[in-house]
Amino acid sequence: GAVVSQHPSRVICKSGTSVKIECRSLDFQATTMFWYRQFPKQSLMLMATSNEGSKATYEQGVEKDKFLINHASLTLSTLTVTSAHPEDSSFYICSARGAWGTTSTDTQYFGPGTRLTVL
Amino acid sequence: QKEVEQDPGPLSVPEGAIVSLNCTYSNSAFQYFMWYRQYSRKGPELLMYTYSSGNKEDGRFTAQVDKSSKYISLFIRDSQPSDSATYLCATPKGYFGNEKLTFGTGTRLTIIP
């Protein structure tokens, strides 16, 4: 149980285009999802916290107009990278936290990641 | 100063050896510590978590926290080639492991058959 999927797993796009990444909790309801970015040989850096039905909370230094996050349902959050540039090329990973009483409070469940390459 | 620091390695050891992976943290308020394993091009998976000081054992893995020195460790006994991965320590901004996490940089481990 507690599986999180991401789609697509890999995407290549041209500079200036927008890319949407989906994060789904497959067998539980996720009231909160987190979006992380990981550059090569570096650790995961939290970008934003997404709560179902409300606006995302962005970490300092993350442009909210560039990284649009929507969490419209309890099983789906999307990250849209708008007007992507080569420096946005990275590995984007989401994680999900279940509704209280439904999943463990000891952990959050990570998706497999999406590798974005902007040419 | 980073909140969580970790030696990035890489670390290579022969199969069967005991592996020691370490992190230090700066904020004495941190209470909850986690170790994740990340295979190449995959998302992290939770290995172990510990609360406050002490040891916790799970099979070949032992997690240790020393709050007095702000030092956390993960030991792997009888290491296997399948243990080759990047290991990340993490701590949440709160009391539960399901809150937003601060990660160390990760240590890349290779077990040589």
Side-chain angles (χ1 to χ4, degrees), chain A residues 82-100:
Chain A
T82 61
S83 187
H85 288 94
E87 58 265 31
D88 298 324
S89 298
S90 188
F91 194 49
Y92 291 87
I93 305 174
C94 71
S95 69
R97 177 172 84 192
W100 287 99

Side-chain angles (χ1 to χ4, degrees), chain A residues 52-98:
Chain A
E52 186 267 338
S54 62
K55 290 184 178 180
T57 302
Y58 291 81
E59 295 299 302
Q60 191 173 8
V62 178
E63 299 175 60
K64 61 181 179 182
D65 294 330
K66 180 168 186 62
F67 299 100
L68 301 179
I69 292 173
N70 183 278
H71 192 161
S73 79
L74 287 172
T75 59
L76 173 65
S77 176
T78 61
L79 167 68
T80 301
V81 183
T82 61
S83 187
H85 288 94
E87 58 265 31
D88 298 324
S89 298
S90 188
F91 194 49
Y92 291 87
I93 305 174
C94 71
S95 69
R97 177 172 84 192

Side-chain angles (χ1 to χ4, degrees), chain B residues 48-65:
Chain B
M48 298 190 70
Y49 61 89
T50 53
Y51 182 76
S52 195
S53 283
N55 293 355
K56 184 174 183 178
E57 188 174 318
D58 184 2
R60 297 186 294 111
F61 298 89
T62 300
Q64 190 175 78
V65 177

Side-chain angles (χ1 to χ4, degrees), chain B:
Chain B
Q1 183 183 10
K2 290 183 180 178
E3 290 186 302
V4 180
E5 302 220 39
Q6 185 175 7
D7 184 344
L11 179 64
S12 294
V13 300
E15 183 176 355
I18 296 175
V19 176
S20 173
L21 304 166
N22 308 293
C23 290
T24 58
Y25 62 95
S26 58
N27 190 338
S28 59
F30 290 154
Q31 295 284 334
Y32 206 99
F33 304 94
M34 312 158 87
W35 283 96
Y36 283 85
R37 177 174 61 195
Q38 186 178 22
Y39 290 112
S40 182
R41 301 177 188 271
K42 301 291 184 184
E45 57 175 320
L46 179 66
L47 269 181
M48 298 190 70
Y49 61 89
T50 53
Y51 182 76
S52 195
S53 283
N55 293 355
K56 184 174 183 178
E57 188 174 318
D58 184 2
R60 297 186 294 111
F61 298 89
T62 300
Q64 190 175 78
V65 177
D66 181 348
K67 293 206 74 182
S68 62
S69 58
K70 301 190 184 70
Y71 200 81
I72 56 178
S73 303
L74 178 70
F75 299 97
I76 307 174
R77 291 185 301 279
D78 187 25
S79 54
Q80 304 294 311
S82 58
D83 296 328
S84 298
T86 296
Y87 290 80
L88 301 140
C89 58
T91 185
K93 301 275 188 184
Y95 295 103
F96 298 105
N98 60 6
E99 302 187 30
K100 59 182 183 179
L101 299 173
T102 298
F103 284 89
T105 51
T107 300
R108 184 180 297 180
L109 172 67
T110 301
I111 306 299
I112 304 167

